[in-house]
Amino acid sequence: GAGVSQSPRYKVAKRGQDVALRCDPISGHVSLFWYQQALGQGPEFLTYFQNEAQLDKSGLPSDRFFAERPEGSVSTLKIQRTQQEDSAVYLCASSSGGRGPRSSYEQYFGPGTRLTVT
Amino acid sequence: AQSVAQPEDQVNVAEGNPLTVKCTYSVSGNPYLFWYVQYPNRGLQFLLKYITGDNLVKGSYGFEAEFNKSQTSFHLKKPSALVSDSALYFCAVRDMGYNNNDMRFGAGTRLTVKP
């Protein structure tokens, strides 16, 4: 389809396991964002890519979280040694604009990956 | 840093009545303001945005929002609610600062439209 896709849609991990969440943005979109949405809360910014460059990772909650976008399209969010507090929906979004004035461009969101850490 | 407040967790309206979902914001500079809607098990869908220009912004599905700089508000409105409008609504703000990639979302307001 033409939208943002994410996989898997649901992931159950035992505490201490590593997980990898995938995002396929809209083709041609320069910017890619990862958000974490806890139950009953709005999305919280994790990190931002412009093409393959990770320009902002200020929202990553700990060094267990790592994101990459090596070819400027698909992105992977990796969480090492998962903890129960990592349980949330992880949302990926893309937009056609980059930095500066074009940052007004709206973001298009994927359906999210619901991570449950037991 | 920017922030957004949605003062109502829940809004209930009858079908056919007008609806308002409230949003106030705080930024150091000028804001970009957005409304998104989230249906169960689906991602956020863009409704409308304010960047500059006319304070009344029209968006998808008959929704509109009014930017009020003096009250730092960006309330979402619709003249006649539909049952299918029932969903979770998020307001978001982004500071127009050049190096700012951080879009802040409110906690969300659950809209329920009753037949």
Side-chain angles (χ1 to χ4, degrees), chain A residues 75-98:
Chain A
S75 178
T76 303
L77 176 67
K78 298 179 179 179
I79 309 174
Q80 298 176 326
R81 304 181 303 281
T82 52
Q83 304 294 316
Q84 283 192 317
E85 60 263 29
D86 300 335
S87 296
V89 175
Y90 290 86
L91 297 169
C92 176
S94 69
S95 73
S96 56

Side-chain angles (χ1 to χ4, degrees), chain A residues 9-10 33 35 37 40-43 45 48 55-56 91 99-101 103-107 109-111 114, chain B residues 32 34 36 38 41-44 46 49 51 88 90 94-95 97-108:
Chain A
R9 291 292 312 276
Y10 302 91
F33 303 80
Y35 293 85
Q37 186 177 19
Q41 300 295 319
F45 171 81
Y48 162 67
L55 298 184
D56 188 344
L91 297 169
R99 301 174 74 175
S103 64
S104 66
Y105 288 4
E106 59 271 24
Q107 298 175 17
F109 284 80
R114 182 177 297 277
Chain B
Y32 293 154
F34 304 83
Y36 285 84
Q38 188 173 36
N41 298 316
R42 296 179 65 178
L44 280 74
F46 169 75
K49 67 181 178 183
I51 304 302
L88 192 55
F90 290 97
R94 195 167 183 180
D95 195 310
Y98 179 77
N99 289 321
N100 191 333
N101 301 299
D102 184 356
M103 188 157 71
R104 292 296 176 97
F105 285 82

Side-chain angles (χ1 to χ4, degrees), chain B residues 6-113:
Chain B
Q6 292 181 244
E8 301 157 317
D9 293 335
Q10 175 98 21
V11 170
N12 298 314
V13 298
E15 188 174 30
N17 283 1
L19 69 86
T20 299
V21 182
K22 295 180 180 178
C23 171
T24 58
Y25 66 90
S26 173
V27 294
S28 56
N30 291 317
Y32 293 154
L33 292 156
F34 304 83
W35 275 102
Y36 285 84
V37 59
Q38 188 173 36
Y39 296 100
N41 298 316
R42 296 179 65 178
L44 280 74
Q45 295 178 32
F46 169 75
L47 278 180
L48 51 80
K49 67 181 178 183
Y50 171 82
I51 304 302
T52 187
D54 194 347
N55 288 343
L56 184 64
V57 178
K58 294 186 183 297
S60 306
Y61 312 120
F63 284 93
E64 58 188 29
E66 185 168 11
F67 172 64
N68 187 316
K69 188 172 183 178
S70 63
Q71 297 185 3
T72 62
S73 67
F74 190 57
H75 301 330
L76 181 70
K77 300 181 180 183
K78 186 172 183 180
S80 178
L82 300 173
V83 172
S84 58
D85 292 330
S86 298
L88 192 55
Y89 290 80
F90 290 97
C91 182
V93 66
R94 195 167 183 180
D95 195 310
M96 286 172 67
Y98 179 77
N99 289 321
N100 191 333
N101 301 299
D102 184 356
M103 188 157 71
R104 292 296 176 97
F105 285 82
T109 298
R110 184 165 299 282
L111 172 67
T112 301
V113 182

